Amino acid sequence: MAHIRKANGIMDWLDQRLAIYKLLDVLMVKYWIPKQINFLWAMGVILTTLFAILFVTGLLLVMYYKPDTALAFDSVNKTIMQEVDYGWLWRHMHGVAASVVFLIIYIHMLTGIYYGSYKKGREMIWVSGMLLFIVFSAEAFSGYMLPWGQMSYWAAQVITNLFGGIPFIGPELVIWIRGDYAVSDPTLTRFFMLHVCLLPIVIIALIVVHFYTLRIPHVNNEISEELDFDLEAEKYMAGDTKGSKVIPFWPGFLSKDFMYICLFMIFFFYLVCFKFDFAMDPINFDPANALKTPAHIYPEWYFLWSYEVLRGFFFDIAGIKAFDIGLAAFGIAQIIFFLLPWLDRSDVVKPAHDRPLFFIWFWILLIDLIVLTVYGKLPPTGVNAWVGFYASIVFLLMLIVVLPIITILERKGAKS
């Protein structure tokens, strides 16, 4: 048993029993971050902040929400928005955070791609991050259903129908997910349970795993320099703080993150108070009506690129139905980024601007994702349909074919 002495304060009392200071050393004070980083490395902490906002505001909203198809719409648009003190604020904060979190996720992902932060020992960081993206997507979709407006209902109808394309078990799986033959009260109840109970627990667990995966390979830096973190840490602790290429997570790195969080919160509350409507589809302010289909069904902006891949294949090819081709393309789009560390065949770990072919590939991919997002909101008719088709083809080819080819050429060039 450890020697227990008279404590000289509450922290000392806790430290003798829980090793508080040792834990802080491991997690923060002696966890080292490269100096050569920029504001893009603050996206992870901003994402954690946004998740905390979503969690707290979600708890406040769920006190008044009714997971019943007869009551859900009024519980959101009347009770919460009009009768509960500051209910409008909690709903705006929750809705805006749910949308902005994907903006930050995409910036975080693209930063990782640009700086090669998925390579050479950091594969599990990337994979755990992509798992977080998938679960956040499921959480966002399940939450989108809860207001039980027109777009909530019909988006649920479209997305649950997709599972019907799975061979052998598809039709039965759709009924099981819905809890009925059509989207109805059991569907709403199930998605409420997912949104409020199961998925938040999974997200918290994955956040812990994601942070843990950073422990061994450590954080990448903006010049992708391979550092000996132990040696650089010894320099820092010996007093050579200028000569060392690392700083401690606390207070050096996290104090800067607090500044970025404060700047971000100014932007966030500007959206919450003045531009909240971008996160709330006007069609969703009409109650769900199974007998009235909206003229154009589409998801939230952060799903538009993958939605356009799904519907981009609007004609049969070689006897294969357009729906099946689109569903297969959609499935590939959901998992293709998981495979990025292995699709990139080069051993070179450098920022994209130091990898000429990869630099071109990166910007073409980004532009293509923007095109998919824009056209995913437009009706799939005439020229729009063909733009969506070609953009979908470009997206798949860029990742499956072009990336391996240019990185193999890069690897051969580096060896010669």
Side-chain angles (χ1 to χ4, degrees):
M1 180 176 174
H3 175 66
I4 303 297
R5 53 179 171 73
K6 184 178 180 180
N8 55 23
I10 184 65
M11 287 301 294
D12 186 40
W13 189 89
L14 289 171
D15 185 56
Q16 291 184 55
R17 291 156 178 81
L18 300 176
I20 295 292
Y21 293 124
K22 288 183 181 178
L23 182 64
L24 289 175
D25 272 354
V26 171
L27 295 180
M28 299 177 70
V29 179
K30 292 182 180 177
Y31 175 56
W32 305 98
I33 305 293
K35 285 182 179 178
Q36 195 73 22
I37 55 176
N38 55 43
F39 73 97
L40 293 170
W41 269 256
M43 296 301 114
V45 176
I46 290 174
L47 283 171
T48 307
T49 304
L50 281 169
F51 177 69
I53 291 171
L54 285 166
F55 190 85
V56 172
T57 55
L59 288 177
L60 294 170
L61 292 172
V62 81
M63 293 178 186
Y64 299 96
Y65 177 75
K66 308 290 186 184
D68 183 298
T69 54
L71 303 171
F73 184 83
D74 283 342
S75 72
V76 173
N77 293 285
K78 185 178 179 183
T79 305
I80 291 173
M81 291 295 290
Q82 298 178 32
E83 296 178 355
V84 176
D85 288 343
Y86 299 104
W88 63 270
L89 177 61
W90 311 130
R91 190 193 178 190
H92 287 180
M93 287 179 66
H94 197 76
V96 170
S99 190
V100 173
V101 76
F102 279 92
L103 173 64
I104 305 301
I105 285 174
Y106 287 136
I107 293 172
H108 199 45
M109 284 174 58
L110 291 167
T111 300
I113 295 172
Y114 189 90
Y115 289 101
S117 300
Y118 55 88
K119 303 178 68 173
K120 206 170 183 180
R122 296 189 173 94
E123 293 88 351
M124 287 309 300
I125 300 173
W126 179 261
V127 170
S128 62
M130 288 307 305
L131 282 171
L132 264 173
F133 171 68
I134 294 297
V135 180
F136 259 114
S137 299
E139 177 77 342
F141 171 67
S142 61
Y144 191 60
M145 271 196 64
L146 300 188
W148 207 241
Q150 266 291 71
M151 199 57 76
S152 296
Y153 176 85
W154 288 100
Q157 190 85 348
V158 170
I159 296 300
T160 53
N161 267 339
L162 294 181
F163 292 94
I166 297 175
F168 306 112
I169 63 170
E172 289 76 16
L173 184 60
V174 171
I175 296 171
W176 181 77
I177 291 171
R178 291 175 175 173
D180 201 346
Y181 291 100
V183 174
S184 57
D185 193 69
T187 318
L188 178 62
T189 305
R190 290 179 181 210
F191 278 84
F192 174 76
M193 182 279 298
L194 284 173
H195 188 74
V196 174
C197 301
L198 179 60
L199 293 177
I201 294 172
V202 176
I203 288 173
I204 291 169
L206 284 173
I207 288 173
V208 172
V209 171
H210 189 56
F211 279 120
Y212 178 71
T213 58
L214 289 163
R215 302 299 300 182
I216 304 302
H218 287 272
V219 177
N220 192 15
N221 54 83
E222 63 180 345
I223 58 173
S224 298
E225 181 181 4
E226 192 169 338
L227 301 176
D228 185 334
F229 280 87
D230 292 332
L231 178 61
E232 297 301 327
E234 286 178 11
K235 287 183 187 178
Y236 190 94
M237 289 188 290
D240 186 12
T241 55
K242 289 186 178 180
S244 175
K245 295 181 180 180
V246 298
I247 55 174
F249 183 73
W250 173 260
F253 178 74
L254 204 54
S255 60
K256 293 181 180 180
D257 272 358
F258 287 151
M259 180 193 71
Y260 291 126
I261 290 171
C262 291
L263 293 173
F264 171 78
M265 293 308 290
I266 294 171
F267 166 71
F268 175 74
F269 277 105
Y270 167 75
L271 294 178
V272 167
C273 296
F274 300 106
K275 299 293 181 181
F276 55 86
D277 53 339
F278 90 95
M280 298 181 184
D281 196 308
I283 298 175
N284 225 26
F285 285 92
D286 296 329
N289 185 349
L291 301 178
K292 183 182 178 182
T293 308
H296 178 39
I297 300 171
Y298 50 81
E300 287 291 275
W301 72 268
Y302 39 82
F303 293 144
L304 287 173
W305 68 271
S306 56
Y307 178 64
E308 185 62 15
V309 171
L310 170 68
R311 70 177 193 178
F313 298 87
F314 58 92
F315 52 88
D316 298 349
I317 300 176
I320 305 174
K321 293 182 179 178
F323 174 79
D324 294 332
I325 298 171
L327 188 61
F330 177 78
I332 293 170
Q334 303 314 302
I335 63 171
I336 193 68
F337 283 108
F338 275 93
L339 304 177
L340 195 64
W342 297 277
L343 291 171
D344 187 332
R345 307 300 298 165
S346 174
D347 297 325
V348 176
V349 183
K350 290 181 179 179
H353 54 259
D354 290 333
R355 304 169 64 189
L357 290 176
F358 185 84
F359 183 77
I360 297 169
W361 174 88
F362 175 85
W363 286 108
I364 292 175
L365 178 68
L366 179 56
I367 292 168
D368 189 62
L369 286 169
I370 293 171
V371 170
L372 287 169
T373 299
V374 170
Y375 279 84
K377 188 75 180 276
L378 301 176
T381 55
V383 176
N384 294 348
W386 285 105
V387 171
F389 170 72
Y390 288 118
S392 301
I393 291 291
V394 169
F395 171 77
L396 296 172
L397 290 178
M398 287 294 288
L399 284 159
I400 298 172
V401 178
V402 178
L403 179 60
I405 290 174
I406 65 169
T407 50
I408 288 171
L409 293 173
E410 181 182 67
R411 183 180 65 194
K412 290 179 177 178
K415 289 180 179 178
S416 61

